[in-house]
Amino acid sequence: GTCRYMSPHAYERRFPTCHLIPMFVDSEVLEETESEDGSIHQVQRRCKLDVDAPRLLKRIAGVDYVYFSQENTLNKRERTLHIESHNETFSNRVIIHELCSYSAHPENEDWTCFEQSASLDIKSFFGFESTVEKMAMKQYASSIKKGKEIIEFYLNQLEEEGISHVPRWTPSLDAPSSSVTTKPVCATPKLLHLELCVCVVDKLDADYIKRYLGDLTPLQESCLIRLRQWLQESHKGKIPKDEHILRFLRARDFNMEKAREILCQSLTWRKQHQVDYLLETWTSPQVLNDYYTGGWHHHDKEGRPLYILRLGQMDTKGLVRALGEESLLRHVLSINEEGLRRCEENTKVFGRPISCWTCLVDLEGLNMRHLWRPGVKALLRIIEVVEANYPETLGRLLILRAPRVFPVLWTLVSPFIDENTRKKFLIYAGNDYQGPGGLLDYIDKEVIPDFLGGECMCEVPEGGLVPKSLYRTAEELENEDISLWTETIYQSASVFKGAPHEVVIEIIDASSVITWDFDVCKGDVVFHLYHSKRAPQTPRKDPLVGQHSSITTPGGNNVQLIDKSWTIGLDYSMVESPLTCKEGESVQGSHVTRWPGFYILQWKFHTMPGSASTNLPRVDDVLASLQVSSHKCKVMYYTEVIGSEDFRLDKKSFHSCPSKLSLKHERPCFSPRGLEGQPI
């Protein structure tokens, strides 16, 4: 639109409040400065927002309004307005960072260029992380769509007042030069940015595809959009970026059902083991830093990150004996997470989509000790986990200096490697990599490592034998392995036909809030919430369960608490309506307790009801029976109790709040009052 340097003046009319933005309640100026020559004007404000969130969520959080800090920098000399804001409220739980920029078009100074981006990082929010994330994305997408309408309203208002032109700023002849410099616009935050804009349309922008995703046919584009929409509707959790969804689609040749299945399994795995936070929380043991012969090294000719592994120099037996399988697996996962990060970074640097990396494996020194059985077992397990959760991330694997023993190792591991992945392997024996079709075809001469005859110093450790003094006993490794993979707030359970899984929560103070978050990993279940004044029996294992799975094995836990002799309505009562949850769904919810006592969360096997009008089975029933091969379901769950002392409100006001939280497909939500009736 026409600029005439009026956009900054129109923007300033939003303050101290704006009727076009209902959630914007008020603002106050904290500090205002101007450079000596008057070219730079900075204003710091504190903005008060009434966020459109379920009232119950506000009550649990203990706030009615959310406060943001905003800094505006108007550079009259450069004709730019930069706006940067971040949240003050809940800054230890949620980090919101927003950047806006107005500038004169470089080719037509009567036009205004506008850029806006934001990042959202939710660390924790009372168990409602995905609810907050979806609310934030929805409101941010809405503000983007309304931004142009608002600025045009104030531009028209200025014109109605007779202000149709604002003269360009010119320095005074006797004024000193500016001593204040503007803040540079930061790099685009990684979490929302333009992907957010794409979420609200049915077709992807061609420039976006070319810049971030690569060539897609109309059918492939449609598959990506449909799978992403399905995730947004049915998966309560962080939705992966388009690039990552695309990897799973490519791994299954764009078969929607197959891609959805493996993607959901991977998302559940990432959530259970907190893989999203692995780079922040994982610190490599010193023995890995000293003896693990792998590391990142520049990039290949196509801009892909390059990872070098000197497998022949690695003491695999020593590392497994000193660390155990789990530490090695976690280290490899951190390498893959870093690879994803580097792909994003290189996409920005090279200006084209880079979704995978190149791995160079040097087998110089490989011998029979590398075929030590526990070491091979650990390698196979690592391959299995990586193949399942990082598909289509390996662009090319260059295997150099393969010795005679290599075919033996290849025979052992190749059946566990996906066929599409195997096609990316290039194997060179001896010094063949130095000839035509060798390393120089894929890697620039300047970055070929010194140990391969190049001139580039490589910082990958040279390895060597791990001292036996660092070896751990089998018992020590077993205990550590268990602790590594139980560093998760989620628990797994099996649900069988006739044997539900139950969790008891004792409530001392009424008006506490019970929250839950669970994923249905396999089968369909019905979720119930009961209350009883009596403590349930000691957890028992149903005989039926023993036929399927051990109670102690991960993912096989099954506990029953409600005694068979109990009568509903007499010994215990239902306080929430039953909720049927389909396979692949992720559900979050909460319940405000009315009475002290024992609350029992129950996941029960869901049996499809037959048709009442005929003895013939329904088509849906037949299909369901084909999909579920056994009478077994799996859930992964987390529960938390927020005590009444943890939020600032009285009991009466809390009980009057209707809940709008957590359930899928806009199904009826749980009422904080629960079902009517007296406590049992």
Side-chain angles (χ1 to χ4, degrees):
T2 302
C3 173
R4 298 184 297 279
Y5 202 52
M6 290 172 57
S7 294
H9 298 271
Y11 176 81
E12 285 295 321
R13 294 212 166 193
R14 295 185 180 201
F15 303 100
T17 187
C18 175
H19 71 281
L20 296 173
I21 311 176
M23 63 183 289
F24 183 23
V25 178
D26 195 11
S27 64
E28 61 174 322
V29 175
L30 302 179
E31 186 178 354
E32 189 169 0
T33 59
E34 192 171 68
S35 62
E36 293 183 15
D37 63 358
S39 65
I40 298 175
H41 183 213
Q42 290 183 317
V43 180
Q44 289 187 345
R45 289 186 177 90
R46 190 168 190 253
C47 302
K48 180 180 179 182
L49 305 182
D50 184 7
V51 178
D52 182 18
R55 190 176 174 193
L56 178 60
L57 184 58
K58 289 185 178 181
R59 293 301 188 184
I60 291 174
V63 299
D64 289 320
Y65 299 103
V66 175
Y67 291 90
F68 274 71
S69 291
Q70 185 191 73
E71 181 176 306
N72 299 347
T73 303
L74 175 63
N75 189 324
K76 301 175 184 177
R77 185 190 299 274
E78 302 293 335
R79 302 182 69 191
T80 61
L81 171 63
H82 295 317
I83 304 132
E84 184 172 354
S85 61
H86 64 273
N87 61 304
E88 293 181 4
T89 310
F90 300 121
S91 58
N92 61 329
R93 294 179 177 270
V94 180
I95 299 174
I96 302 173
H97 188 206
E98 184 176 11
L99 297 167
C100 300
S101 175
Y102 293 86
S103 61
H105 194 282
E107 296 178 6
N108 187 338
E109 62 179 20
D110 285 337
W111 291 354
T112 298
C113 296
F114 174 70
E115 296 180 12
Q116 182 174 357
S117 61
S119 66
L120 171 67
D121 184 8
I122 302 175
K123 300 183 183 300
S124 65
F125 203 85
F126 309 104
F128 303 121
E129 291 80 9
S130 63
T131 302
V132 172
E133 182 178 39
K134 289 193 175 182
M135 286 189 334
M137 292 186 69
K138 180 180 177 182
Q139 294 194 4
Y140 186 69
S142 175
S143 72
I144 289 176
K145 296 173 72 175
K146 201 170 183 179
K148 183 180 178 183
E149 174 189 333
I150 295 171
I151 201 71
E152 286 180 346
F153 171 85
Y154 287 117
L155 283 170
N156 292 333
Q157 191 180 77
L158 285 168
E159 290 187 347
E160 289 172 2
E161 295 173 7
I163 305 173
S164 60
H165 177 74
V166 177
R168 290 190 60 170
W169 176 86
T170 55
S172 173
L173 295 177
D174 57 349
S177 60
S178 172
S179 59
V180 179
T181 57
T182 59
K183 286 190 174 184
V185 179
C186 299
T188 304
K190 63 181 180 180
L191 294 179
L192 295 181
H193 191 48
L194 294 177
E195 293 89 339
L196 188 60
C197 306
V198 178
C199 292
V200 296
V201 297
D202 296 326
K203 191 176 186 301
L204 297 177
D205 180 75
D207 291 338
Y208 168 72
I209 294 176
K210 183 178 179 181
R211 178 71 175 78
Y212 294 99
L213 304 180
D215 295 330
L216 293 178
T217 67
L219 179 61
Q220 292 170 344
E221 181 183 340
S222 173
C223 287
L224 172 60
I225 293 172
R226 285 186 291 138
L227 182 51
R228 186 180 59 194
Q229 287 176 342
W230 182 85
L231 286 170
Q232 290 169 340
E233 292 170 1
S234 65
H235 188 83
K236 285 230 170 180
K238 283 195 173 182
I239 305 301
K241 295 183 179 180
D242 287 345
E243 300 94 303
H244 201 55
I245 298 175
L246 203 53
R247 290 185 178 104
F248 286 85
L249 283 167
R250 285 173 172 150
R252 292 298 179 265
D253 295 321
F254 286 87
N255 182 307
M256 273 279 295
E257 292 304 314
K258 291 182 179 179
R260 183 176 71 176
E261 181 182 356
I262 61 172
L263 177 55
C264 286
Q265 289 172 356
S266 180
L267 291 176
T268 300
W269 171 82
R270 294 182 70 88
K271 185 176 182 180
Q272 183 174 14
H273 299 302
Q274 303 288 289
V275 179
D276 287 335
Y277 307 103
L278 191 59
L279 289 180
E280 302 169 14
T281 58
W282 167 250
T283 302
S284 300
Q286 190 59 44
V287 66
L288 274 175
N289 297 333
D290 295 338
Y291 297 99
Y292 189 86
T293 55
W296 294 100
H297 180 81
H298 301 283
H299 55 79
D300 69 5
K301 286 188 173 182
E302 297 178 49
R304 296 167 173 167
L306 176 62
Y307 189 83
I308 292 180
L309 181 64
R310 302 184 67 178
L311 186 59
Q313 304 298 314
M314 187 183 297
D315 180 10
T316 52
K317 178 178 180 179
L319 288 174
V320 173
R321 291 290 301 275
L323 295 168
E325 285 185 32
E326 298 299 331
S327 286
L328 278 176
L329 174 58
R330 183 160 291 199
H331 184 62
V332 173
L333 295 182
S334 71
I335 292 170
N336 281 270
E337 290 296 306
E338 174 66 15
L340 295 177
R341 189 194 68 78
R342 286 176 179 256
C343 285
E344 287 188 21
E345 191 176 274
N346 285 17
T347 295
K348 296 174 184 177
V349 171
F350 293 100
R352 62 178 183 274
I354 294 172
S355 61
C356 54
W357 52 84
T358 292
C359 185
L360 187 156
V361 179
D362 179 26
L363 297 183
E364 174 78 354
L366 190 77
N367 54 43
M368 292 303 293
R369 68 184 170 86
H370 289 90
L371 300 181
W372 180 59
R373 186 172 178 180
V376 174
K377 175 174 169 282
L379 176 61
L380 294 179
R381 185 179 174 212
I382 288 170
I383 290 174
E384 182 182 15
V385 173
V386 171
E387 281 283 306
N389 297 287
Y390 300 92
E392 296 298 311
T393 54
L394 182 65
R396 184 178 292 114
L397 181 67
L398 303 169
I399 300 177
L400 276 53
R401 303 197 279 195
R404 291 184 178 181
V405 74
F406 173 71
V408 180
L409 180 62
W410 178 248
T411 301
L412 291 172
V413 302
S414 60
F416 295 87
I417 301 174
D418 181 75
E419 183 180 353
N420 290 335
T421 303
R422 290 202 301 268
K423 293 176 182 177
K424 301 170 184 176
F425 285 33
L426 294 173
I427 303 172
Y428 300 89
N431 293 325
D432 291 350
Y433 70 92
Q434 296 177 341
L439 210 52
L440 282 173
D441 283 11
Y442 306 103
I443 301 174
D444 288 326
K445 180 180 179 181
E446 293 77 16
V447 298
I448 292 180
D450 50 354
F451 64 86
L452 292 175
E455 300 177 357
C456 186
M457 292 297 294
C458 183
E459 296 182 359
V460 174
E462 295 184 0
L465 295 175
V466 177
K468 292 187 177 181
S469 60
L470 297 178
Y471 285 12
R472 313 279 290 281
T473 66
E475 184 178 359
E476 288 174 330
L477 290 175
E478 184 178 353
N479 292 336
E480 186 168 297
D481 286 353
I482 292 172
S483 66
L484 271 172
W485 282 119
T486 51
E487 288 176 5
T488 170
I489 59 175
Y490 293 91
Q491 299 184 56
S492 296
S494 294
V495 179
F496 301 93
K497 193 171 184 179
H501 179 69
E502 295 164 344
V503 174
V504 65
I505 296 176
E506 184 178 5
I507 297 295
I508 305 299
D509 300 322
S511 295
S512 298
V513 180
I514 301 173
T515 68
W516 54 84
D517 176 1
F518 65 87
D519 290 347
V520 185
C521 306
K522 178 183 178 183
D524 300 342
V525 299
V526 181
F527 177 71
H528 295 267
L529 182 65
Y530 299 103
H531 172 266
S532 174
K533 287 184 178 180
R534 299 168 54 185
Q537 63 179 9
T538 304
R540 65 183 177 85
K541 178 182 174 184
D542 194 283
L544 176 66
V545 180
Q547 302 171 16
H548 297 273
S549 174
S550 167
I551 193 171
T552 58
T553 52
N557 186 36
N558 179 278
V559 175
Q560 295 164 62
L561 302 166
I562 299 177
D563 194 286
K564 298 283 188 183
S565 63
W566 279 18
T567 303
I568 192 165
L570 181 64
D571 300 291
Y572 67 111
S573 63
M574 185 184 298
V575 293
E576 292 287 359
S577 300
L579 176 68
T580 302
C581 308
K582 301 293 184 181
E583 180 175 329
E585 283 193 328
S586 180
V587 177
Q588 289 181 326
S590 63
H591 175 82
V592 183
T593 62
R594 298 180 66 184
W595 318 288
F598 299 90
Y599 288 79
I600 302 170
L601 287 73
Q602 182 192 78
W603 290 269
K604 191 174 183 180
F605 186 90
H606 175 58
T607 304
M608 295 288 290
S611 174
S613 60
T614 175
N615 292 327
L616 295 175
R618 298 187 310 161
V619 174
D620 288 346
D621 297 340
V622 175
L623 292 176
S625 66
L626 291 175
Q627 291 173 353
V628 182
S629 59
S630 65
H631 299 302
K632 177 180 178 181
C633 303
K634 284 186 178 181
V635 295
M636 185 179 77
Y637 65 92
Y638 167 70
T639 63
E640 183 178 2
V641 176
I642 304 173
S644 57
E645 71 278 1
D646 291 335
F647 46 78
R648 302 188 299 274
L649 65 157
D650 61 290
K651 298 175 184 177
K652 182 178 179 181
S653 65
F654 198 87
H655 277 263
S656 65
C657 307
S659 171
K660 298 180 182 178
L661 289 178
S662 83
L663 304 179
K664 295 280 177 201
H665 309 304
E666 299 182 359
R667 292 179 286 192
C669 298
F670 291 160
S671 162
R673 293 186 65 88
L675 301 179
E676 294 300 325
Q678 297 300 316
I680 292 176

